[in-house]
Amino acid sequence: MVFGCKRCGKCRDVCPVGAIYEENELAKIDTEKCNLCMKCIDECTNRSIIYME
């Protein structure tokens, strides 16, 4: 999930499988594509991405 996103695009750019996209001005993660590499979490300088099982 993405909360408090500033829409910088860093997470989208670093995602190796293209699982992050923008919809209605919010960043969303396609859980079907996501391989849980966590690169987006490391890249987010705003700490907006939270991993939840």
Side-chain angles (χ1 to χ4, degrees), residues 4-5 13 16 19 28 33 36-37 39-40 43-44 47 53:
C5 177
D13 295 342
K28 304 239 177 157
K33 288 183 179 179
L36 301 175
C37 72
K39 290 181 181 181
C40 59
E43 189 67 24
C44 182
R47 300 190 186 268
E53 287 186 20

Side-chain angles (χ1 to χ4, degrees), residues 10-37:
K10 291 179 182 179
C11 60
R12 184 185 60 238
D13 295 342
V14 77
C15 182
V17 295
I20 301 174
Y21 63 98
E22 192 173 306
E23 182 179 280
N24 298 324
E25 299 186 14
L26 294 172
K28 304 239 177 157
I29 300 172
D30 183 336
T31 56
E32 295 293 318
K33 288 183 179 179
C34 180
N35 65 2
L36 301 175
C37 72

